[in-house]
Amino acid sequence: MSSLFLPVALSFLARSVLANPVPLVTGTALPPNIAQQAGGGLSNQPGGPPKLSQNGIDSFHLANFLENLESNFFQEGLMNYTQWGSGNQVNGVPNMGVVSRIAAQEEVHVASIVGLLQGNGAQPVAPCEYNFPVTDEKSFLALASIITNVGIGALIDLEAGLSTTDAGLEATVGSILPVESRHDAFFRIYAKEVPNPTTFETRISALWAFNLALDFIVPNSCKNLPPSITGLQIFPDLGIIGYGGPSFATPNSPGKLIFQVGQPNMLPQGWNSRPLYMAWVNQNDVPAYTPVTVQGNELHADVHPGMFGIAFAALTNQNTATNINDLTKATLAGPLPIPLGPGQ
Ligand SMILES: *[C@@H]1O[C@H](CO)[C@@H](O)[C@H](O)[C@H]1NC(C)=O
């Protein structure tokens, strides 16, 4: 079995116009019944929300931005179930019921972050308009897995940042993370993949998460974003145009991918005056690098062996960065999430 499945290439997907963006909660008041639907509402906090540092506020602004996207995605998907019917079943439970619970949980996550920001005198981040390349239940749940893994990677980064400035909030973020992983286990079981593909979840950087979110945001649809978000660097997209796997691809020999940069004019001057590499980020491992050969506008690179779950690839012209933050500074294009098979 091929160890790669690539049903959802994020960057080059058509952007059909979203007819009716779903309104999201923008205050701390939650719609009635949401706590019941989610399995719990806002946490009660005697003495009000904890005090945030400036780094904490900036970090939760980005978390708000990302969770808005996730919440909107699941609410829109839930609405789509009215056309899809109650969906297929995992363990005899119709998928629509699980998605309804996920949507409610994401809504409570958003409302919790909004409450935290407001309790610190900071403006919450308003939702943007989104555009998701979903055509049916199957592609919805496949994209759900990718979006959830981006969220997981960003939440680990949020925890890491808070550990130096707002350590009291680490455990709060830690209480959200496994909920997201439970969601992903469900998406994976539905796709007949193992629910627990990896030993560790994969951390990404805030800037990478921001760039991944942009793939689903209607241009110029975000209003009043805080400067900590508008100031973030935008990388050109990295997309996959072909998979040249060996006929018996395994995790140890997973094959070759052909990449393309979506907007080559956004690449910095002199980007290819040094050797190019594809950087691979997976679990807690230091970034791995495979050489890139350029053929016209195609970038050919081997997939780094021994990765599981979802890996993140980025184009770079160095192979010495040993952590996600240094790699983010040296990113030329991407990142791109790449789902890998279970290796069985
Ligand atoms: C919902 O369905 C519409 C119409 O098919 C589609 O364009 C949109 O991407 C879907 N969104 C989600 C999140 O499923």
Side-chain angles (χ1 to χ4, degrees):
M1 181 210 278
S2 158
S3 76
L4 278 162
F5 78 100
L6 302 163
V8 187
L10 291 190
S11 302
F12 287 114
L13 294 159
R15 295 177 189 277
S16 62
V17 176
L18 175 61
N20 294 308
V22 186
L24 267 187
V25 204
T26 50
T28 44
L30 281 166
N33 295 332
I34 208 83
Q36 190 62 33
Q37 205 181 324
L42 292 168
S43 311
N44 46 10
Q45 290 166 325
K51 186 95 196 74
L52 286 178
S53 71
Q54 187 58 48
N55 175 58
I57 288 173
D58 291 347
S59 304
F60 277 103
H61 268 148
L62 187 68
N64 195 170
F65 178 83
L66 297 170
E67 291 273 343
N68 282 346
L69 182 149
E70 237 180 281
S71 179
N72 202 291
F73 173 76
F74 287 110
Q75 288 192 24
E76 198 185 295
L78 187 57
M79 283 191 4
N80 282 350
Y81 268 95
T82 53
Q83 269 127 52
W84 300 334
S86 56
N88 288 298
Q89 300 195 352
V90 171
N91 281 344
V93 180
N95 289 347
M96 187 182 183
V98 183
V99 169
S100 151
R101 201 174 184 92
I102 293 173
Q105 288 167 341
E106 295 303 340
E107 210 170 325
V108 178
H109 292 167
V110 169
S112 306
I113 295 172
V114 165
L116 180 61
L117 286 166
Q118 286 177 332
N120 280 271
Q123 281 290 320
V125 177
C128 312
E129 284 174 38
Y130 306 95
N131 195 354
F132 299 107
V134 168
T135 50
D136 54 12
E137 184 188 25
K138 192 170 175 216
S139 60
F140 167 67
L141 293 173
L143 185 55
S145 174
I146 289 185
I147 286 180
T148 298
N149 276 275
V150 169
I152 288 170
L155 284 172
I156 299 174
D157 186 72
L158 175 63
E159 266 192 316
L162 294 173
S163 66
T164 49
T165 57
D166 302 80
L169 277 150
E170 264 183 279
T172 308
V173 178
S175 70
I176 295 176
L177 257 166
V179 176
E180 303 289 339
S181 297
R182 289 181 197 224
H183 295 173
D184 192 41
F186 160 73
F187 306 138
R188 295 185 60 92
I189 291 172
Y190 168 77
K192 300 198 164 40
E193 298 284 330
V194 292
N196 53 338
T198 60
T199 307
F200 301 100
E201 300 287 357
T202 301
R203 173 185 177 184
I204 58 174
S205 59
L207 187 51
W208 273 21
F210 169 73
N211 272 272
L212 287 161
L214 288 184
D215 289 340
F216 307 108
I217 292 178
V218 176
N220 304 317
S221 70
C222 303
K223 303 280 176 267
N224 303 322
L225 289 181
S228 60
I229 295 181
T230 52
L232 292 174
Q233 187 185 353
I234 298 175
F235 299 119
D237 288 333
L238 187 65
I240 292 174
I241 56 175
Y243 171 46
S247 45
F248 296 99
T250 70
N252 295 327
S253 179
K256 187 183 277 297
L257 286 174
I258 302 171
F259 297 88
Q260 200 169 44
V261 176
Q263 307 84 9
N265 57 325
M266 282 173 67
L267 288 163
Q269 199 99 61
W271 67 282
N272 56 357
S273 59
R274 287 194 279 162
L276 294 170
Y277 296 92
M278 200 56 66
W280 301 94
V281 172
N282 189 233
Q283 305 188 58
N284 286 337
D285 295 330
V286 295
Y289 299 90
T290 56
V292 169
T293 46
V294 182
Q295 296 184 17
N297 54 13
E298 292 182 0
L299 305 168
H300 294 238
D302 283 337
V303 178
H304 180 72
M307 302 189 300
F308 299 88
I310 290 189
F312 293 85
L315 181 67
T316 181
N317 54 12
Q318 54 75 45
N319 63 351
T320 52
T322 54
N323 62 64
I324 182 67
N325 288 329
D326 289 347
L327 174 58
T328 298
K329 287 186 202 123
T331 296
L332 293 171
L336 180 69
I338 299 186
L340 302 154
Q344 281 155 6

